[in-house]
Amino acid sequence: MGKMNVNLCGIELDNPVIPASGTFGFGYEFDELYDINVLGTFSFKGTTKDPRFGNPTPRIAECTEGMINAVGLQNPGVEKVISEELPKLYKVFNKKVMANVSGFSVEDYAYTVEKLDSVDEIGWFEVNVSCPNVHGGGMSFGTQPEAAAEVTRAVRKVTKKPIIIKLSPNVTDIVSIAKACEEAGADGISLINTLLGMRIDLRTKRPVIANKMGGFSGPAIFPVAVRMVYQVAHAVNIPVVGMGGVSSAENVIEMMLAGATAVEVGAANLVNPYACRDIIADLPRVMAKYGIENLSDIIGAVK
Amino acid sequence: MKQSIFTIKENRPLTDLVWLMRMAGDTSEITAAGQFVNIQLDGLYLRRPISVFDCEDGMLSIIYKVVGKGTEKMTTLPVGTELDVLTGLGNGYDLEKVGKKPLLVGGGVGVPPLYYLAKKLIAAEKKPEIVVGFNTADEIFGVEFFEEIGCKVTVTTVDGSVGVKGFVTNALEAIDYDYICTCGPEPMLKALYRATEAKGQYSFEERMGCGFGACMGCSCKTVTGYKRICKDGPILEKEEILWEK
Ligand SMILES: Cc1cc2nc3c(=O)[nH]c(=O)nc-3n(C[C@H](O)[C@H](O)[C@H](O)COP(=O)(O)OP(=O)(O)OC[C@H]3O[C@@H](n4cnc5c(N)ncnc54)[C@H](O)[C@@H]3O)c2cc1C
Ligand SMILES: Cc1cc2nc3c(=O)[nH]c(=O)nc-3n(C[C@H](O)[C@H](O)[C@H](O)COP(=O)(O)O)c2cc1C
Ligand code: FES
């Protein structure tokens, strides 16, 4: 059997499959279904300094081969994540976990990362810069190279753990933003977050989502994600975590060929709660089919 | 929760728009009335949440109203079709908390889960009375199911064509009850919430991403903090609901 292990920023993963933030809660819900230790790791729900209820409902809209969500980073806040959610997770998960962090100011990000830094079980930080910057006129940190770099520098100061900056695809030049984060001290880049989308209900003639717009994800965005992963992976010298529409072992391999060291799976977990387990179980078959001995050999094989 | 394959055994209309489907499969995770299942349909990305209407020895029954693409598609599925279904979702009604003289109040496609609840309550020796509300006579369905198990049913119609004229709340005065279990459109739940002093359990609907607690797509605020309708609900106790009296 081929080898599935990969090295992500100095930490060895048994396989490259990682449930994406926001689609796997804090993991323990899924442990009722399967042993989540089969995962490479997983990225927990976007955590912020203060508790957040998130947006009004409806927060979900169906699309062709995908969905829009406008959850609005609902989470109990970093204190409760540490005192309540993570202890429940460690009872069932014995690998390093990826801490997904969000913020609305540079200070927010630094505060949250600093708090989480003392938690041994956290292996990596995944810093989501798609949030609006309240001091920057509401523009997302991830849309300007300088703002993304500023967040990177601020979190770099408060942790020695690997920092992976998670980029928004809603930009004109993703490469310049990725490079700015690399220069500011990021250890990795993950992408893509959701694409801004909208649906309208013909019966009510109103947006389906209370917030009007939301993040579009699922199989429909896969080609966009592969393209962006390819562009970024070939422009930076740090590992890239690829995601966006991944739903099968074939998709995982395609992302890795484009340049991803590891691959996250988001919306697929919501429609098939066993998606990640099934993808991992199917990887050896697909590797054999395409003559792949070691998954780590194919990372960025497409030039 | 369990993901498994069910085989359609029956799929027929009860009214113009309301259909009954029975399917055979593993029902072991369905532990309470008021729970729902989440059904995958070919060509549609998200699953469709539908309440358990009845459940017996490996046979699951649902009643669904045709409102859009998914429910439309369901009407075309012949007997023998296999469906991927997540079962055992949601908390369900808590029978212990129900009083001695329960009243079950249903509106439209909120009626189906109350049938399974009525059966459970009868088994627990808390025989309920039923009020079901519809807009017009031709929308009425399900009354005979309750009558078959010996429950007294009051029908209300908005246009007065059958039974009590008006809303379900217009039927309350004539009935002796000490507790309410209800499911129906939100305006009905709200009207009921205000019309009666009785304690009770109310069933809610929300657009869902997953249906099993993973995405936070369905959260609502309650007196005791936020709850996910799919996992901590769909049933909330009256005291938890954040509505003005
Ligand atoms: C817990 C729960 C129990 C339910 N039980 C029943 C039942 O027993 N019988 C019944 O007829 N209906 C029930 N519904 C409503 C049912 O889920 C919707 O009518 C159905 O999803 C509509 O799908 P569609 O493809 O026909 O409509 P479309 O409008 O094409 O659906 C588009 C999207 O919106 C969602 N959606 C549309 N209407 C609703 C709604 N009212 N609630 C939640 N999501 C919606 C769909 O799931 C889908 O993701 C229940 C809903 C919930 C949340
Ligand atoms: C319901 C939902 C909630 C999400 N919440 C977060 C979040 O809290 N933080 C984050 O960085 N990304 C979040 N995302 C984005 C995903 O992690 C992922 O980047 C995106 O959905 C693309 O992958 P997919 O197409 O496989 O879903 C969320 C996505 C969904 C569908
Ligand atoms: S629908 Fe996903 S948490 Fe309720």
Side-chain angles (χ1 to χ4, degrees):
Chain A
M1 200 171 97
K3 285 196 183 140
M4 299 202 287
N5 59 305
V6 294
N7 186 299
L8 181 60
C9 307
I11 303 174
E12 201 70 8
L13 302 179
D14 296 337
N15 65 69
V17 179
I18 304 174
S21 179
T23 63
F24 213 73
F26 288 89
Y28 54 85
E29 308 277 11
F30 282 80
D31 197 70
E32 284 176 32
L33 300 171
Y34 65 90
D35 179 1
I36 61 171
N37 291 295
V38 301
L39 302 169
T41 178
F42 82 94
S43 181
F44 63 58
K45 176 67 199 170
T47 295
T48 51
K49 179 171 175 252
D50 301 313
R52 284 176 58 83
F53 172 69
N55 292 323
T57 55
R59 297 175 172 183
I60 304 286
E62 190 181 48
C63 308
T64 306
E65 286 299 304
M67 62 183 283
I68 294 175
N69 90 83
V71 169
L73 293 171
Q74 177 174 348
N75 79 94
V78 65
E79 314 282 348
K80 276 214 169 130
V81 166
I82 293 172
S83 65
E84 290 176 18
E85 301 291 347
L86 296 182
K88 280 191 233 171
L89 167 64
Y90 306 140
K91 283 202 188 122
V92 295
F93 193 57
N94 52 38
K95 296 183 173 181
K96 295 277 188 200
V97 71
M98 191 180 284
N100 185 286
V101 171
S102 282
F104 301 90
S105 68
V106 174
E107 298 74 44
D108 276 10
Y109 281 103
Y111 179 92
T112 308
V113 170
E114 190 168 16
K115 285 269 171 202
L116 288 166
D117 187 52
S118 58
V119 179
D120 280 344
E121 289 83 350
I122 291 174
W124 312 255
F125 284 101
E126 181 177 50
V127 181
N128 170 13
V129 292
S130 299
C131 318
N133 176 1
V134 291
H135 303 307
M139 285 276 281
S140 147
F141 290 99
T143 57
Q144 295 140 310
E146 191 35 49
E150 205 187 329
V151 173
T152 310
R153 277 192 295 271
V155 295
R156 178 75 291 163
K157 282 197 195 116
V158 294
T159 183
K160 295 207 159 57
K161 294 182 182 182
I163 296 168
I164 297 169
I165 305 291
K166 181 169 178 181
L167 301 185
S168 163
N170 304 308
V171 297
T172 43
D173 182 8
I174 190 102
V175 167
S176 64
I177 296 163
K179 279 184 159 168
C181 296
E182 181 182 27
E183 275 162 31
D187 302 290
I189 299 288
S190 70
L191 75 168
I192 60 176
N193 210 317
T194 52
L195 289 156
L196 197 57
M198 180 168 175
R199 293 301 311 268
I200 295 165
D201 185 330
L202 302 190
R203 284 166 291 202
T204 60
K205 302 186 176 56
R206 297 201 345 226
V208 174
I209 298 226
N211 223 29
K212 292 188 182 153
M213 291 170 227
F216 180 34
S217 71
I221 73 167
F222 182 68
V224 178
V226 172
R227 184 266 295 177
M228 288 189 151
V229 166
Y230 173 81
Q231 288 177 312
V232 168
H234 288 75
V236 298
N237 296 309
I238 47 179
V240 169
V241 180
M243 81 193 88
V246 174
S247 319
S248 65
E250 284 85 352
N251 290 164
V252 169
I253 289 175
E254 193 171 333
M255 272 293 182
M256 294 183 76
L257 287 167
T261 296
V263 177
E264 293 189 26
V265 178
N269 294 302
L270 306 181
V271 288
N272 171 14
Y274 296 96
C276 286
R277 182 201 66 178
D278 293 352
I279 290 171
I280 293 162
D282 198 29
L283 265 172
R285 180 191 68 80
V286 180
M287 287 167 64
K289 182 173 170 192
Y290 295 102
I292 298 164
E293 279 279 313
N294 299 322
L295 270 186
S296 56
D297 293 343
I298 66 164
I299 298 167
V302 170
K303 294 297 168 198
Chain B
M1 169 169 77
K2 189 165 217 152
Q3 178 184 33
S4 55
I5 300 296
F6 280 73
T7 309
I8 299 180
K9 295 292 175 187
E10 187 182 342
N11 190 17
R12 65 178 166 92
L14 298 176
T15 70
D16 274 359
L17 286 176
V18 175
W19 286 58
L20 170 73
M21 184 186 281
R22 291 191 198 279
M23 39 193 169
D26 182 347
T27 54
S28 59
E29 289 282 305
I30 301 173
T31 52
Q35 286 184 326
F36 64 99
V37 300
N38 218 357
I39 305 175
Q40 185 142 65
L41 297 165
D42 271 354
L44 294 177
Y45 193 62
L46 297 177
R47 291 170 183 265
R48 295 313 192 250
I50 305 283
S51 303
V52 173
F53 161 66
D54 195 11
C55 175
E56 233 167 32
D57 311 328
M59 188 67 81
L60 164 68
S61 306
I62 57 172
I63 290 182
Y64 62 96
K65 183 176 179 183
V66 179
V67 297
K69 267 193 274 180
T71 44
E72 181 76 52
K73 181 164 197 123
M74 284 166 68
T75 64
T76 66
L77 302 176
V79 168
T81 306
E82 292 189 336
L83 289 175
D84 176 333
V85 184
L86 293 179
T87 56
L89 304 177
N91 56 356
Y93 292 99
D94 183 344
L95 300 185
E96 301 268 299
K97 294 205 170 102
V98 176
K100 287 201 175 61
K101 288 181 286 183
L103 177 64
L104 313 191
V105 183
V109 281
V111 173
L114 300 180
Y115 173 71
Y116 191 40
L117 175 62
K119 282 177 61 174
K120 294 252 178 193
L121 285 172
I122 290 169
E125 295 180 348
K126 293 180 179 179
K127 189 170 175 176
E129 234 188 280
I130 318 292
V131 175
V132 287
F134 299 93
N135 288 310
T136 57
D138 52 331
E139 283 184 10
I140 297 173
F141 69 88
V143 174
E144 64 283 6
F145 295 118
F146 291 101
E147 286 173 348
E148 273 163 25
I149 56 172
C151 294
K152 183 166 177 278
V153 183
T154 306
V155 176
T156 69
T157 50
V158 176
D159 67 356
S161 49
V162 175
V164 177
K165 183 174 161 66
F167 300 99
V168 290
T169 44
N170 295 96
L172 296 181
E173 209 166 300
I175 299 170
D176 179 27
Y177 64 92
D178 65 2
Y179 196 88
I180 285 194
C181 291
T182 181
C183 183
E186 200 162 302
M188 184 199 95
L189 300 184
K190 262 190 187 155
L192 201 57
Y193 177 87
R194 291 178 183 137
T196 175
E197 289 296 311
K199 288 192 171 181
Q201 298 173 43
Y202 288 56
S203 182
F204 286 79
E205 255 184 23
E206 195 44 81
R207 298 238 171 186
M208 290 182 178
C210 64
F212 54 88
C215 73
M216 303 289 155
C218 64
S219 297
C220 75
K221 284 181 181 156
T222 72
V223 172
T224 48
Y226 80 80
K227 292 207 163 181
R228 295 160 297 181
I229 293 297
C230 70
K231 176 100 181 178
D232 313 307
I235 318 293
L236 299 182
E237 284 189 55
K238 188 177 180 184
E239 301 93 90
E240 295 180 278
I241 303 172
L242 273 175
W243 282 336
E244 281 165 36
K245 290 270 174 190

